[in-house]
Amino acid sequence: MSATPSAPAPRTLAEGQRCRVRIHDLRTHESTTVLETWELLLEAPNWHRHGRLVLNGDGSLWTLDVESGALAQIAIDGVPDLNNDHVLAPDGVTVYVSANDFHLYAAPLAGGEARRVTGDDHGRLHFLHGISPDGTTLAYIGLQPEGDEWWARAEVFTVSTDGTGDTRLPQGGSPADGSEYSPDGAWIYFNTELFTETPGHAQIARMRPDGRDVERLTYSDRVDWFPHPSPDGARAVYLSYPSGTVGHPADRPVELRLVEADAWDRPATIVSLQGGQGTINVNSWAPDSQRFAYVDYPRDEA
């Protein structure tokens, strides 16, 4: 069995680069900056039902008040540094996180002691992306590296929040990422290279939570990642990279594309930005389904 690869250090801003947390409003067709910083690289905003964002940064979780711009760190005990994969439980008080020991944990959103969810399963690396609407099941990506190749196998798995019932859904193909439940729990949305022989050419798909009925949704020359259905199920947003991109790197010219009423054959580009990794890794829709949060990372011009 291959040795587990070392986790990368938390990302930091480059010289002359800043981090902007932004909210796009579908009613006004405008994006508003709610926080701009040259000191902390924030990633992967979730939107809590009480009107604040939850983000990763510097190996920790943070809350951001969208009205005041006040940023506060969440003190979670019993976990190593976090990466940028986390989801909020429907109860509004629990957050599930991926840590840099490649395991999943449950923790109080207000801070406190964490509980490990995943077990030791033959060197698999766990990266969290979704939670079922009833709060009982997590959808994650299980990586089985081969040597230095992290993405040798990357498939969709589900596991109960108590750690039981760990299940591989191989029908989604490999490599896959971004596994996320629809609001009604009927589908798991994800990106996959199942439909192409071109390395890196990810497209958006969905399947039933038991792995049945795999359906390709995007047919794009671009590279599509991280589909996020809105809470009302009426639309979705996803991240689109230029053709030829491999993986989901940072600091690229990317687009956020909107799909209305399940019309995946007619996506609209609504935001173009400098970003990628960290921009919209997790579901960031507001409860009203009219706004979503994202992060970009512009550089100052010389």
Side-chain angles (χ1 to χ4, degrees), residues 72-285:
Q73 189 172 4
I74 302 173
I76 298 178
D77 302 321
V79 293
D81 283 346
L82 306 180
N83 62 34
N84 62 13
D85 301 316
H86 62 274
V87 296
L88 303 180
D91 64 11
V93 300
T94 304
V95 60
Y96 292 91
V97 299
S98 299
N100 276 350
D101 62 354
F102 307 112
H103 282 287
L104 309 184
Y105 291 81
L109 188 55
E113 191 70 23
R115 168 183 61 85
R116 200 172 103 174
V117 174
T118 47
D120 295 314
D121 39 20
H122 309 292
R124 187 188 309 149
L125 315 184
H126 309 78
F127 293 89
L128 179 63
H129 280 280
I131 187 168
S132 60
D134 62 5
T136 64
T137 308
L138 302 175
Y140 73 90
I141 300 300
L143 268 62
Q144 201 80 45
E146 294 179 1
D148 294 331
E149 178 53 55
W150 282 47
W151 291 86
R153 287 178 58 188
E155 296 172 298
V156 178
F157 288 75
T158 59
V159 63
S160 296
T161 53
D162 64 4
T164 62
D166 204 345
T167 303
R168 172 173 164 260
L169 306 180
Q171 298 92 329
S174 175
D177 207 344
S179 49
E180 184 172 309
Y181 285 89
S182 61
D184 61 3
W187 296 98
I188 292 177
Y189 287 79
F190 61 107
N191 54 266
T192 177
E193 296 178 31
L194 175 65
F195 309 108
T196 179
E197 296 181 358
T198 303
H201 193 72
Q203 298 285 275
I204 306 302
R206 66 185 176 189
M207 61 184 167
R208 299 296 182 183
D210 63 1
R212 293 180 299 111
D213 301 335
V214 178
E215 179 183 0
R216 180 175 180 175
L217 298 175
T218 60
Y219 291 79
S220 174
D221 292 335
R222 296 175 63 85
V223 175
D224 300 332
W225 279 74
F226 298 140
H228 303 312
S230 60
D232 63 4
R235 53 189 58 87
V237 67
Y238 65 91
L239 178 67
S240 182
Y241 280 96
S243 178
T245 304
V246 176
H248 55 290
D251 301 329
R252 302 295 174 91
V254 295
E255 299 175 358
L256 297 179
R257 292 189 162 187
L258 182 73
V259 173
E260 293 277 8
D262 216 26
W264 288 89
D265 59 333
R266 298 188 301 278
T269 297
I270 54 173
V271 180
S272 297
L273 63 126
Q274 187 74 14
Q277 170 73 316
T279 290
I280 193 169
N281 289 54
V282 296
N283 192 308
S284 61
W285 282 100

Side-chain angles (χ1 to χ4, degrees), residues 12 22 35 42 48 54 64 78 88 108 131 152 154 173 176 185 202 208 223 263 298:
T12 58
R22 314 197 78 199
L35 179 69
L42 294 164
H48 189 269
V54 179
L64 173 63
L88 303 180
I131 187 168
R208 299 296 182 183
V223 175

